[in-house]
């Protein structure tokens, strides 16, 4: 049995979301609490609880995650102006949802370093 998470419920449609992209392997939807004018979460349908739990067999998935993020950033109109990809991990990383996801953030000048 595969693990259920907040994001598997969003992917299945059990919890409503504003989806911007979906294919066989990934789903992207708008963050409910956006940190910038553009803030989308790109989520693998496979539940990997955090980036550190990814295995050798996930090598392809992780590569496709970034390439798919590029496609979504292009679709969202932030590819030229610039953007940031963020993967939070664990307590100090500020991860709230234990299902690997990539934040795609843009649409304004972003500060550095992050808080
Ligand atoms: P993280 O802190 O990296 O685990 O990020 C989890 C993100 O999920 C946060 O930015 C939340 O705002 C976002 N989030 C939580 N619930 C929902 C939801 N129902 N729909 C969309 N985004 C959500």
């Amino acid at each position: 049995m595969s693990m259920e998470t907040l994001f598997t419920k969003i992917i299945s449609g059990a919890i409503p979301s504003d989806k911007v992209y979906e294919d066989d392997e990934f789903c992207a939807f708008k963050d409910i609490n956006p940190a910038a004018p553009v803030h989308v979460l790109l989520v693998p349908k496979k539940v990997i609880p955090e980036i550190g739990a990814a295995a050798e067999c996930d090598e392809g998935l992780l590569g496709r995650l970034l390439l798919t993020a590029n496609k979504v950033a292009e679709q969202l109109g932030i590819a030229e102006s610039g953007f940031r990809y963020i993967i939070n991990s664990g307590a100090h990383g500020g991860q709230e949802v234990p299902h690997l996801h990539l934040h795609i953030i843009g649409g304004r000048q972003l500060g550095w370093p992050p808080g």
Side-chain angles (χ1 to χ4, degrees):
M1 202 179 75
S2 62
M3 205 203 306
E4 237 194 356
T5 70
L6 172 66
F7 291 160
T8 62
K9 290 178 191 163
I10 287 177
I11 292 165
S12 72
I15 292 177
S17 71
D18 198 345
K19 286 186 187 172
V20 299
Y21 177 87
E22 185 161 18
D23 63 24
D24 288 349
E25 196 172 28
F26 302 105
C27 184
F29 48 88
K30 292 185 182 174
D31 195 292
I32 202 167
N33 185 21
V38 176
H39 187 172
V40 160
L41 303 175
L42 177 61
V43 186
K45 293 182 176 178
K46 174 178 176 180
V47 179
I48 299 170
E50 58 186 28
I51 186 66
E56 290 275 326
C57 64
D58 297 315
E59 182 179 357
L61 179 151
L62 294 177
R64 289 188 295 278
L65 179 72
L66 290 175
L67 293 174
T68 304
N70 286 348
K71 202 155 56 172
V72 174
E74 180 78 41
Q75 182 194 311
L76 294 170
I78 56 171
E80 265 189 48
S81 53
F83 51 83
R84 189 169 294 163
Y85 296 155
I86 297 172
I87 297 176
N88 294 323
S89 185
H92 279 191
Q95 184 179 5
E96 291 170 5
V97 180
H99 181 163
L100 175 63
H101 52 283
L102 183 88
H103 295 254
I104 302 173
I105 296 174
R108 67 167 168 83
Q109 182 64 55
L110 298 171
W112 190 263

